[in-house]
Amino acid sequence: MMAADQTVHGVPPSLSAKVVGSFAYLTVRDRLPTILTKVIDTIHRNKNKFFEEYGEEGIQAEKQTIGLLSKMRNELQTDKPVIPLTDSLQDAECWNQYLQKHQKLHGDQESVSWFKSPWLYVECYMYRRIHEALWLNPPISDYDVFNEGKTQGFFESQQAVMTICTHLEGINSNIENLSKNQLFEHFNKLLQVSLWGNKCDLSISAGQDNSQKTSPIDSLVSLQPLILVNDSNAVWSTLISAQTHARSEKTTVRVDIVLDNAGFELVTDLVLADFLVSSGLAHEVHFHGKSIPWFVSDVTAHDFQWTIQQTMAANHKCMSKIGYQWKSHLKDGVWSYHDHPFWTQPHEFCDMAADAPDLYANLQGADLVLFKGDLNYRKLVGDRDWDHTVGFGTALQGFGPAPLCSLRTLKANVQVGLQPGQAEKLTSHEPDWMTCGKYAVIQFYSSKAEQKD
Ligand code: F6P
Ligand code: MG
């Protein structure tokens, strides 16, 4: 781990709310307290439900959880020290060690605190503390306070979900007759649909509706110029060479998708995964989700299963047919869902090999890993103040278990791998290009010879 405010061995400082006026500062000052207030309101609104389910005990749990969350909001707003976790969950020790490490870097003079420490760390910590507040209060320990928003996001995107399912069904019904070029075109479109699906997260909008309302396929052409880095050819070549290799070695091609948000984005990821399998580009898809509710809209195991159930149960022929297909992919082991505590820890991914060697070794078994979304991008590049022209490979700081690609719409002020002058041009037209969610990247890296930097 590097000190938060200086460049060490060419690695720039972590983004932090200590830079007054920065996006990190505004997030910690405004957006995080708004999210916490919504969490508190949601718990309060569900008071009767807790009473019906658990009687007086439910009411007590509601009160105490709200008490803990209000205390945390106050700690945040007054820049109090980050305190150790007190629950006995599996990862609590790891979080507390991480705090100690950061405290050592700060020295004796200054505490690790909400506005002074790395933004990535404190933002992750907030979601872990929300989980702690609930966990310490059975019988509502397992309550997912973000569930309502995620469910709503899915239902509000129904029209777009039906369109994309109908599109997929059209491809699947004729898939054996498609030429390689036609497959490539479909692949490109579905990769971009999955990319733009990432616009629909609920963290950037502090929980406000952010669902997909327009046709995802029709929008692609007009969105094309907003893709600042587009390495989709390299992603395609990786899949094709994995396929060739698998044929000669009689093995299988495995693609991993490190998921981000539930709702429309998850559907776009499942559609892409379905296409990969039905086209024979991949034989297995491993999905990686979160083991606790995270960054408002991120996918948990429950969201994953629920989405497939809802797709099956839809009153729309193509959608329902595709839902059943997804269920059988899971049943047959062609698809599998995995979670690991590392995904809900605050570490940069370059720490994975040392801090979660089992997960790193697991990812090494993939032919391609797709990382969805903004938070995964921040963790890939360490959430640091990189120069925009630094290569993606450099910013990964040694992380590279397999060829990987980030599919991300930009919602935080970090971006690497741009052409000289590209960032300056964007800034002159649109100063908030990195945070407005309008731009995107399909950014690839492989440590093999074909790598870009
Ligand atoms: O700053 C916006 C933010 O809250 C970031 O903290 C986080 O990176 C992002 O939203 C979440 O977006 P995504 O769901 O794409 O990871
Ligand atoms: Mg998210």
Side-chain angles (χ1 to χ4, degrees):
M1 250 182 337
M2 304 295 170
D5 57 355
Q6 57 198 24
T7 299
V8 183
H9 305 309
V11 179
S14 303
L15 300 175
S16 164
K18 77 165 99 185
V19 181
V20 177
S22 66
F23 188 67
Y25 172 81
L26 297 174
T27 296
V28 177
R29 192 193 66 179
D30 303 331
R31 200 147 38 82
L32 300 190
T34 306
I35 290 172
L36 272 177
T37 303
K38 286 214 166 130
V39 166
I40 291 171
D41 287 350
T42 305
I43 295 174
H44 190 60
R45 244 188 316 104
N46 281 280
K47 194 174 170 172
N48 288 345
K49 172 177 129 83
F50 298 144
F51 181 70
E52 278 159 25
E53 281 179 33
Y54 312 111
E56 200 46 45
E57 248 189 291
I59 298 283
Q60 281 311 317
E62 177 256 357
K63 253 194 219 149
Q64 283 169 29
T65 307
I66 289 181
L68 290 177
L69 293 171
S70 307
K71 178 174 165 289
M72 167 165 59
R73 185 176 51 188
N74 183 267
E75 289 166 20
L76 185 163
Q77 289 178 313
T78 54
D79 194 23
K80 291 282 185 311
V82 164
I83 55 176
L85 296 172
T86 59
D87 61 44
S88 51
L89 287 165
Q90 196 195 5
D91 63 342
E93 188 49 35
C94 175
W95 275 91
N96 292 343
Q97 280 169 7
Y98 197 82
L99 171 57
Q100 278 172 14
K101 269 203 228 173
H102 269 267
Q103 192 54 66
K104 275 198 195 123
L105 290 173
H106 274 249
D108 296 337
Q109 307 305 317
E110 204 177 54
S111 294
V112 174
S113 72
W114 292 87
F115 282 79
K116 291 190 204 83
S117 299
W119 170 33
L120 177 63
Y121 174 24
V122 297
E123 193 170 17
C124 292
Y125 172 76
M126 181 186 89
Y127 289 95
R128 183 57 179 82
R129 284 277 302 273
I130 295 174
H131 188 62
E132 178 189 51
L134 282 151
W135 187 257
L136 290 175
N137 285 294
I140 63 167
S141 309
D142 286 328
Y143 179 65
D144 180 351
V145 76
F146 302 120
N147 184 57
E148 289 174 9
K150 290 187 273 193
T151 310
Q152 199 184 339
F154 177 82
F155 288 125
E156 278 166 2
S157 309
Q158 278 309 280
Q159 202 51 50
V161 171
M162 288 173 196
T163 308
I164 185 78
C165 286
T166 308
H167 181 81
L168 178 66
E169 184 51 21
I171 301 174
N172 281 350
S173 61
N174 185 36
I175 202 138
E176 295 90 31
N177 303 322
L178 296 177
S179 67
K180 203 166 166 190
N181 279 349
Q182 288 170 320
L183 273 183
F184 176 59
E185 272 178 31
H186 287 305
F187 167 76
N188 248 336
K189 277 192 187 160
L190 294 180
L191 194 71
Q192 286 177 35
V193 169
S194 166
L195 168 70
W196 292 113
N198 181 244
K199 264 185 165 208
C200 302
D201 92 274
L202 296 174
S203 159
I204 191 78
S205 58
Q208 293 294 346
D209 168 31
N210 206 5
S211 52
Q212 174 79 25
K213 305 271 180 352
T214 53
S215 162
I217 301 289
D218 294 351
S219 322
L220 291 181
V221 173
S222 60
L223 292 169
Q224 193 94 33
L226 306 175
I227 304 178
L228 303 178
V229 176
N230 190 343
D231 291 336
S232 41
N233 287 345
V235 180
W236 173 256
S237 306
T238 299
L239 284 171
I240 295 298
S241 55
Q243 201 183 38
T244 312
H245 181 258
R247 270 197 201 120
S248 68
E249 299 292 312
K250 301 209 175 355
T251 56
T252 52
V253 178
R254 176 180 138 193
V255 174
D256 284 29
I257 305 183
V258 183
L259 297 168
D260 186 1
N261 302 301
F264 182 69
E265 180 170 0
L266 175 58
V267 174
T268 65
D269 301 335
L270 296 170
V271 165
L272 176 63
D274 186 305
F275 172 77
L276 290 175
V277 168
S278 48
S279 62
L281 285 164
H283 306 99
E284 270 176 77
V285 178
H286 290 201
F287 296 95
H288 300 267
K290 307 295 192 298
S291 46
I292 63 172
W294 194 246
F295 277 69
V296 188
S297 40
D298 285 16
V299 178
T300 61
H302 173 270
D303 302 327
F304 188 82
Q305 298 297 347
W306 181 88
T307 304
I308 292 178
Q309 287 298 334
Q310 290 300 317
T311 310
M312 283 162 56
N315 190 14
H316 180 272
K317 217 169 138 205
C318 285
M319 198 172 151
S320 165
K321 182 173 174 199
I322 277 167
Y324 276 97
Q325 198 162 293
W326 293 349
K327 192 182 173 202
S328 71
H329 285 334
L330 282 173
K331 193 167 147 275
D332 301 343
V334 173
W335 283 6
S336 52
Y337 178 89
H338 308 256
D339 51 25
H340 189 287
F342 187 80
W343 301 121
T344 47
Q345 282 168 3
H347 302 70
E348 306 170 31
F349 289 162
C350 63
D351 293 341
M352 188 192 287
D355 290 338
D358 55 332
L359 178 61
Y360 195 85
N362 181 310
L363 294 182
Q364 283 177 313
D367 293 286
L368 172 71
V369 187
L370 300 175
F371 285 90
K372 292 297 316 282
D374 194 62
L375 178 63
N376 277 326
Y377 191 83
R378 291 173 60 195
K379 289 185 165 189
L380 282 166
V381 301
D383 210 35
R384 291 172 180 278
D385 193 14
W386 293 105
D387 191 286
H388 298 303
T389 55
V390 158
F392 188 35
T394 305
L396 288 168
Q397 299 172 77
F399 178 72
L404 62 88
C405 179
S406 161
L407 300 175
R408 170 228 187 187
T409 58
L410 279 63
K411 291 173 250 168
N413 56 337
V414 54
Q415 181 58 54
V416 299
L418 298 186
Q419 298 302 317
Q422 198 178 359
E424 289 75 4
K425 203 168 157 197
L426 285 158
T427 306
S428 70
H429 292 116
E430 236 169 324
D432 66 345
W433 62 277
M434 273 185 288
T435 53
C436 62
K438 172 174 158 191
Y439 293 93
V441 291
I442 299 177
Q443 202 159 20
F444 176 81
Y445 173 77
S446 168
S447 60
K448 296 191 189 136
E450 67 270 19
Q451 74 191 50
K452 285 191 57 169
D453 54 38

